[in-house]
Amino acid sequence: MDMKILVVGGGGREHAIARALSRCNGLQLFSVMATKNPGISQLAKKTLIHKETDASGVVGFAKEVGADYAFIGPEAPLEAGIVDDLERAGVACVGPGRAAARLETDKGFCREMMARHGIAGCPNYRICHSVDEAVSFIRDYGGELAIKPIGLTGGKGVRIMGEQVDAAGAISYVRQLGGNVVLEERLIGEEFTLQAFVDGSHLVSMPLVQDHKRAFEGDTGPNTGGMGSYSMPDHMLPFVSRKDHNTALDIMKSIVAVMSKIQEPYKGVLYGQFMNTADGPKVIEFNARFGDPEAMNVLSLLTSDLGDTVARITEGSLSSARVRFENAATVCKYIVPEGYPDAPHAGDKLTIGHPGTALLYYANVEDRDGQLFTRNSRTLAFVGIGPTLEGAEKSAEGAASSVEGHVRHRRDIGTTDLVNKRCNHMKELR
Ligand code: AMP
Ligand code: GLY
């Protein structure tokens, strides 16, 4: 198969997409990203350093290199309507158009659609458009709520009552946001991620992953874009039953069916973030793209041809028989600059000691003549792979702890202790 694919985005997720594509025969890779990712630029035949949300620049480059396909990594270009513009220019895309991407970019749209079409797993919610409306809802509700800005915040905009804020803190946060918020029932349980390739009507699901949003060990500190994640050899998680998995997948199938029914067919990668509660999985949110770090877990296990999947997503001919993932455990650990996420310190030197067998994915890092320097977001990630979670964790941890510089990572991700804690929590709830 001869195909030219443009990968849009320059993080760890896009490095994983680019590496999986680079394993395909007869495929030429091109890249556009805001800052240079040394891993992606090494794999790409040609790279454009350019604002990813500037559709005309991206379309111009796609045409210049003769790209047949584009794979959109991050959400911001989806929100900017890059898929609509690329498709008008004849480039087939993995990623939804602007209207269908509202599933992620407009939390109000997502909740209203779930409620209107009776899709299971929707928590109680209220979409507010003024400070007064939000404040009186918080006062009258009585229980704990999640406070979410309506638009994109890189996963960092949510405040949970009983965790980060009390009622007074919730009210002042709502004021700070000008009242445009979604208020949701606080869900209690264990989070998991289910990602699927989608071609408008068919879904092909990927191994379950658990991400770690909090900055510090023991799930403390501020929310981040994700500090790391793990997956199990059977592609399940020990606190998610087959029934829970089926429920989550059915919810995602219903979403895709409804999007098609309302004439906004969804194609690309659909990311479901679920809270496994005492009553089964509830939807925290959907993303219109791969998760970062979760893409690194699943794509490191992909043994089938991602180029073939790309073509099938755009043609509407996806088939689970043609997508295969290795039965191994993965543990991904992100190295981040000191001070991340609140006051990340950029421009610090870092050195990788002994990566061992772990895979290295570059993210927001500068390579100056072979010397690496931090920028102000997540720096790079290691993925350990092995027949057991313990082995995968050891591999990722060994690589991560060999990095020297003003950087840190979460040592607890993928450890037996932390996974047992999650299982015990689930047992207590059920
Ligand atoms: P989001 O930006 O929607 O992914 O939310 C960020 C994080 O906030 C999630 O990973 C959850 O840990 C938490 N969160 C979001 N919504 C809720 C909710 N309704 N109940 C409890 N926690 C939530
Ligand atoms: N890991 C969460 C996200 O990509 O939104």
Side-chain angles (χ1 to χ4, degrees):
M1 186 184 6
D2 239 7
M3 60 199 284
K4 291 184 176 178
I5 302 196
L6 175 63
V7 174
V8 178
R13 163 184 51 209
E14 289 78 22
H15 190 190
I17 294 168
R19 186 176 286 163
L21 288 171
S22 73
R23 293 194 292 259
C24 308
N25 288 328
L27 189 150
Q28 289 178 30
L29 198 67
F30 298 89
S31 143
V32 54
M33 48 196 170
T35 54
K36 184 173 163 184
N37 175 315
I40 300 174
S41 65
Q42 211 177 45
L43 296 171
K45 193 160 176 203
K46 193 167 180 189
T47 291
L48 174 72
I49 304 299
H50 192 81
K51 206 167 143 196
E52 296 148 14
T53 49
D54 173 34
S56 67
V58 176
V59 172
F61 183 63
K63 284 168 83 173
E64 178 197 320
V65 301
D68 313 294
Y69 299 93
F71 202 128
I72 320 299
E75 59 276 24
L78 296 172
E79 186 180 41
I82 207 170
V83 167
D84 310 77
D85 288 344
L86 281 165
E87 287 181 346
R88 261 194 295 274
V91 182
C93 291
V94 176
R98 190 206 305 254
R102 281 183 302 160
L103 213 43
E104 166 168 11
T105 60
D106 181 343
K107 290 185 196 283
F109 167 82
C110 175
R111 291 310 190 201
E112 276 185 333
M113 192 192 68
M114 292 184 76
R116 188 172 305 135
H117 296 274
I119 296 176
C122 188
N124 295 320
Y125 72 94
R126 169 74 167 255
I127 301 168
C128 302
H129 297 291
S130 76
V131 170
D132 285 351
E133 185 186 2
V135 169
S136 31
F137 188 84
I138 293 172
R139 291 206 171 116
D140 296 345
Y141 186 76
E144 288 171 339
L145 292 162
I147 299 110
K148 302 184 168 188
I150 283 179
L152 293 178
T153 58
K156 296 164 201 150
V158 176
R159 298 285 180 281
I160 312 292
M161 285 169 71
E163 269 185 39
Q164 293 113 336
V165 289
D166 56 11
I171 288 171
S172 71
Y173 188 49
V174 155
R175 286 190 203 285
Q176 191 190 319
L177 295 172
N180 287 312
V181 291
V182 179
L183 301 176
E184 280 175 13
E185 155 193 11
R186 178 187 178 196
L187 301 167
I188 307 283
E190 280 299 324
E191 288 181 50
F192 68 91
T193 301
L194 175 57
Q195 301 170 104
F197 295 113
V198 184
D199 68 359
S201 50
H202 311 101
L203 283 86
V204 173
S205 65
M206 304 186 220
L208 295 183
V209 184
Q210 188 173 41
D211 184 19
H212 297 70
K213 286 264 179 198
R214 299 299 200 89
F216 304 116
E217 266 121 42
D219 295 323
T220 55
N223 272 335
T224 68
M227 293 294 294
S229 43
Y230 67 93
S231 72
M232 304 296 282
D234 62 356
H235 300 165
M236 296 291 288
L237 286 165
F239 49 84
V240 178
S241 69
R242 274 279 155 210
K243 185 169 169 237
D244 296 329
H245 184 272
N246 291 340
T247 303
L249 188 55
D250 284 346
I251 290 172
M252 289 178 43
K253 285 181 180 165
S254 309
I255 290 284
V256 171
V258 166
M259 293 302 283
S260 170
K261 191 168 135 196
I262 65 170
Q263 311 294 321
E264 303 288 3
Y266 188 95
K267 61 167 174 45
V269 174
L270 180 61
Y271 169 113
Q273 192 185 1
F274 294 91
M275 184 75 85
N276 212 13
T277 70
D279 310 322
K282 307 278 179 213
V283 175
I284 293 178
E285 67 168 357
F286 293 110
N287 292 327
R289 47 161 178 90
F290 266 122
D292 188 350
E294 291 97 325
M296 291 183 272
N297 299 88
V298 297
L299 291 174
S300 299
L301 295 175
L302 186 75
T303 53
S304 54
D305 187 308
L306 184 58
D308 174 68
T309 301
V310 164
R312 286 170 177 277
I313 286 172
T314 63
E315 290 160 11
S317 58
L318 262 183
S319 148
S320 53
R322 298 182 67 101
V323 181
R324 284 178 307 279
F325 297 92
E326 192 185 334
N327 281 103
T330 62
V331 173
C332 175
K333 300 204 185 206
Y334 251 125
I335 305 289
V336 301
E338 270 178 14
Y340 174 83
D342 294 335
H345 201 266
D348 286 330
K349 252 191 209 179
L350 70 145
T351 319
I352 298 167
H354 322 283
T357 54
L359 301 175
L360 164 62
Y361 290 105
Y362 290 101
N364 200 225
V365 61
E366 187 183 353
D367 181 347
R368 248 184 260 158
D369 302 322
Q371 172 65 60
L372 299 177
F373 293 86
T374 59
R375 294 189 198 267
N376 47 28
S377 194
R378 293 174 291 182
T379 309
L380 51 86
F382 292 103
V383 175
I385 304 180
T388 63
L389 186 69
E390 289 78 3
E393 195 278 330
K394 242 188 205 126
S395 163
E397 180 57 33
S401 57
S402 81
V403 175
E404 280 175 31
H406 294 289
V407 290
R408 44 171 292 274
H409 70 279
R410 269 186 65 169
R411 287 188 306 272
D412 59 349
I413 293 171
T415 58
T416 311
D417 270 4
L418 195 59
V419 177
N420 285 343
K421 218 172 97 188
R422 312 244 185 255
C423 295
N424 291 337
H425 183 210
M426 210 60 235
K427 271 188 209 134
E428 273 165 33
L429 288 174
R430 286 184 166 170

